[in-house]
CSV table of all heavy atoms in Angstrom, one decimal:
chain,number,residue,atom,x,y,z
A,12,VAL,N,110.5,95.6,99.7
A,12,VAL,CA,111.8,95.3,99.6
A,12,VAL,C,112.6,96.0,100.6
A,12,VAL,O,112.3,97.2,100.8
A,12,VAL,CB,112.3,95.6,98.2
A,12,VAL,CG1,113.8,95.3,98.1
A,12,VAL,CG2,111.6,94.8,97.1
A,13,LEU,N,113.6,95.4,101.2
A,13,LEU,CA,114.4,96.1,102.2
A,13,LEU,C,115.8,95.9,101.8
A,13,LEU,O,116.4,94.8,101.9
A,13,LEU,CB,114.0,95.5,103.6
A,13,LEU,CG,114.7,96.2,104.8
A,13,LEU,CD1,114.3,97.6,104.9
A,13,LEU,CD2,114.5,95.5,106.0
A,14,ASP,N,116.5,96.9,101.3
A,14,ASP,CA,117.9,96.8,100.9
A,14,ASP,C,118.7,97.4,102.1
A,14,ASP,O,118.4,98.5,102.7
A,14,ASP,CB,118.1,97.7,99.7
A,14,ASP,CG,117.6,97.1,98.5
A,14,ASP,OD1,117.6,95.9,98.4
A,14,ASP,OD2,116.9,97.8,97.7
A,15,VAL,N,119.8,96.6,102.6
A,15,VAL,CA,120.6,97.0,103.7
A,15,VAL,C,122.0,97.3,103.2
A,15,VAL,O,122.6,96.4,102.6
A,15,VAL,CB,120.6,95.9,104.8
A,15,VAL,CG1,121.4,96.4,105.9
A,15,VAL,CG2,119.1,95.6,105.2
A,16,GLY,N,122.4,98.6,103.4
A,16,GLY,CA,123.7,99.0,103.0
A,16,GLY,C,124.6,99.2,104.3
A,16,GLY,O,124.0,99.1,105.4
A,17,GLU,N,125.7,99.7,104.2
A,17,GLU,CA,126.6,100.0,105.3
A,17,GLU,C,126.1,101.3,106.0
A,17,GLU,O,126.1,101.2,107.3
A,17,GLU,CB,128.0,100.3,104.8
A,17,GLU,CG,128.9,99.2,104.5
A,17,GLU,CD,130.3,99.4,104.2
A,17,GLU,OE1,130.8,100.4,105.0
A,17,GLU,OE2,130.9,98.9,103.2
A,18,ASP,N,125.6,102.2,105.4
A,18,ASP,CA,125.3,103.5,106.0
A,18,ASP,C,123.8,103.7,106.1
A,18,ASP,O,123.3,104.7,106.7
A,18,ASP,CB,125.9,104.6,105.3
A,18,ASP,CG,127.4,104.6,105.4
A,18,ASP,OD1,128.0,104.1,106.4
A,18,ASP,OD2,128.1,105.0,104.4
A,19,THR,N,123.0,103.0,105.2
A,19,THR,CA,121.5,103.2,105.2
A,19,THR,C,120.7,101.9,105.0
A,19,THR,O,121.3,100.9,104.6
A,19,THR,CB,121.1,104.2,104.1
A,19,THR,OG1,121.6,103.5,102.7
A,19,THR,CG2,121.7,105.5,104.2
A,20,VAL,N,119.5,101.9,105.4
A,20,VAL,CA,118.6,100.9,105.2
A,20,VAL,C,117.5,101.5,104.2
A,20,VAL,O,117.0,102.6,104.5
A,20,VAL,CB,117.9,100.3,106.5
A,20,VAL,CG1,116.9,99.4,106.2
A,20,VAL,CG2,119.0,99.7,107.3
A,21,THR,N,117.2,101.0,103.1
A,21,THR,CA,116.3,101.5,102.2
A,21,THR,C,115.1,100.5,102.0
A,21,THR,O,115.2,99.6,101.2
A,21,THR,CB,117.0,101.7,100.9
A,21,THR,OG1,118.2,102.5,101.0
A,21,THR,CG2,116.2,102.5,99.9
A,22,PRO,N,114.0,100.9,102.7
A,22,PRO,CA,112.8,100.1,102.4
A,22,PRO,C,112.0,100.7,101.3
A,22,PRO,O,112.0,102.0,101.0
A,22,PRO,CB,112.0,100.2,103.8
A,22,PRO,CG,112.4,101.6,104.2
A,22,PRO,CD,113.9,101.7,103.8
A,23,SER,N,111.3,99.9,100.5
A,23,SER,CA,110.5,100.4,99.4
A,23,SER,C,109.3,99.5,99.3
A,23,SER,O,109.4,98.3,99.5
A,23,SER,CB,111.3,100.5,98.1
A,23,SER,OG,111.7,99.1,97.7
A,24,ALA,N,108.2,100.2,99.0
A,24,ALA,CA,106.9,99.4,98.8
A,24,ALA,C,105.9,100.3,98.0
A,24,ALA,O,105.9,101.6,98.2
A,24,ALA,CB,106.3,99.0,100.2
A,25,VAL,N,105.1,99.8,97.2
A,25,VAL,CA,104.1,100.6,96.4
A,25,VAL,C,104.6,101.8,95.9
A,25,VAL,O,104.1,102.9,95.8
A,25,VAL,CB,103.0,100.9,97.4
A,25,VAL,CG1,101.7,101.3,96.6
A,25,VAL,CG2,102.6,99.8,98.3
A,26,GLY,N,105.8,101.7,95.3
A,26,GLY,CA,106.5,102.6,94.5
A,26,GLY,C,107.1,103.8,95.3
A,26,GLY,O,107.5,104.8,94.8
A,27,THR,N,107.1,103.7,96.6
A,27,THR,CA,107.7,104.7,97.5
A,27,THR,C,108.9,104.1,98.1
A,27,THR,O,109.0,103.0,98.6
A,27,THR,CB,106.7,105.0,98.6
A,27,THR,OG1,105.5,105.4,98.0
A,27,THR,CG2,107.3,106.2,99.6
A,28,VAL,N,110.1,104.9,98.1
A,28,VAL,CA,111.4,104.5,98.6
A,28,VAL,C,111.7,105.4,99.8
A,28,VAL,O,111.5,106.6,99.7
A,28,VAL,CB,112.5,104.6,97.6
A,28,VAL,CG1,113.8,104.1,98.2
A,28,VAL,CG2,112.1,103.6,96.4
A,29,TYR,N,112.2,104.9,100.9
A,29,TYR,CA,112.7,105.7,102.1
A,29,TYR,C,114.1,105.4,102.2
A,29,TYR,O,114.7,104.3,102.0
A,29,TYR,CB,111.9,105.2,103.3
A,29,TYR,CG,110.4,105.4,103.2
A,29,TYR,CD1,109.6,104.4,102.7
A,29,TYR,CD2,109.8,106.6,103.6
A,29,TYR,CE1,108.2,104.5,102.5
A,29,TYR,CE2,108.4,106.7,103.5
A,29,TYR,CZ,107.6,105.7,102.9
A,29,TYR,OH,106.3,105.8,102.9
A,30,GLU,N,114.8,106.3,103.0
A,30,GLU,CA,116.2,106.2,103.3
A,30,GLU,C,116.2,106.3,104.8
A,30,GLU,O,115.8,107.3,105.4
A,30,GLU,CB,117.1,107.1,102.7
A,30,GLU,CG,118.5,106.8,102.9
A,30,GLU,CD,119.5,107.6,102.0
A,30,GLU,OE1,119.5,107.4,100.8
A,30,GLU,OE2,120.0,108.5,102.6
A,31,CYS,N,116.7,105.2,105.5
A,31,CYS,CA,116.7,105.2,107.0
A,31,CYS,C,118.1,105.0,107.5
A,31,CYS,O,118.9,104.4,106.8
A,31,CYS,CB,115.7,104.1,107.5
A,31,CYS,SG,114.0,104.4,107.0
A,32,ALA,N,118.2,105.3,108.8
A,32,ALA,CA,119.5,105.0,109.4
A,32,ALA,C,119.6,103.4,109.6
A,32,ALA,O,118.6,102.8,109.8
A,32,ALA,CB,119.5,105.6,110.8
A,33,PRO,N,120.7,102.9,109.7
A,33,PRO,CA,120.9,101.5,109.9
A,33,PRO,C,120.1,100.8,111.0
A,33,PRO,O,119.7,99.8,111.1
A,33,PRO,CB,122.4,101.2,110.1
A,33,PRO,CG,123.1,102.5,109.4
A,33,PRO,CD,122.1,103.6,109.7
A,34,GLU,N,120.0,101.6,112.2
A,34,GLU,CA,119.3,101.2,113.4
A,34,GLU,C,117.8,100.8,113.0
A,34,GLU,O,117.1,100.0,113.8
A,34,GLU,CB,119.3,102.3,114.5
A,34,GLU,CG,120.7,102.6,115.0
A,34,GLU,CD,121.5,103.5,114.0
A,34,GLU,OE1,120.9,104.1,113.1
A,34,GLU,OE2,122.7,103.5,114.3
A,35,ALA,N,117.2,101.3,112.0
A,35,ALA,CA,115.9,101.1,111.7
A,35,ALA,C,115.7,99.7,111.1
A,35,ALA,O,114.5,99.3,111.1
A,35,ALA,CB,115.5,102.1,110.6
A,36,GLU,N,116.7,99.0,110.7
A,36,GLU,CA,116.5,97.6,110.2
A,36,GLU,C,115.8,96.7,111.1
A,36,GLU,O,114.9,95.9,110.6
A,36,GLU,CB,117.9,97.0,109.8
A,36,GLU,CG,117.6,95.6,109.2
A,36,GLU,CD,118.9,94.9,108.8
A,36,GLU,OE1,120.0,95.3,109.1
A,36,GLU,OE2,118.8,93.7,108.3
A,37,ALA,N,116.1,96.7,112.4
A,37,ALA,CA,115.4,95.9,113.4
A,37,ALA,C,113.9,96.3,113.4
A,37,ALA,O,113.2,95.3,113.8
A,37,ALA,CB,115.9,96.1,114.7
A,38,VAL,N,113.5,97.4,113.1
A,38,VAL,CA,112.1,97.8,113.0
A,38,VAL,C,111.5,97.3,111.7
A,38,VAL,O,110.3,96.8,111.7
A,38,VAL,CB,111.9,99.3,113.3
A,38,VAL,CG1,110.4,99.6,113.1
A,38,VAL,CG2,112.3,99.7,114.7
A,39,LEU,N,112.2,97.6,110.7
A,39,LEU,CA,111.7,97.4,109.2
A,39,LEU,C,111.7,95.9,108.8
A,39,LEU,O,110.9,95.5,108.0
A,39,LEU,CB,112.4,98.3,108.3
A,39,LEU,CG,112.4,99.8,108.5
A,39,LEU,CD1,113.5,100.4,107.7
A,39,LEU,CD2,110.9,100.3,108.3
A,40,ARG,N,112.6,95.2,109.3
A,40,ARG,CA,112.7,93.8,108.9
A,40,ARG,C,111.4,93.0,109.1
A,40,ARG,O,110.9,92.4,108.2
A,40,ARG,CB,113.9,93.1,109.4
A,40,ARG,CG,114.2,91.6,109.1
A,40,ARG,CD,114.4,91.3,107.7
A,40,ARG,NE,115.6,92.0,107.4
A,40,ARG,CZ,116.0,92.2,106.0
A,40,ARG,NH1,115.2,91.7,105.0
A,40,ARG,NH2,117.2,92.8,105.8
């Protein structure tokens, strides 16, 4: 799952959640 907010992009998978800068969305999507 990839949740995109104003200030962060939050990917999660297999019970692990990360908090990334918005610029990471182009990599994570």
Side-chain angles (χ1 to χ4, degrees):
V12 176
L13 187 62
D14 292 319
V15 180
E17 280 187 41
D18 299 327
T19 61
V20 175
T21 308
S23 59
V25 194
T27 304
V28 179
Y29 302 88
E30 189 171 287
C31 302
E34 296 80 11
E36 181 182 4
V38 175
L39 298 169
R40 176 67 59 197

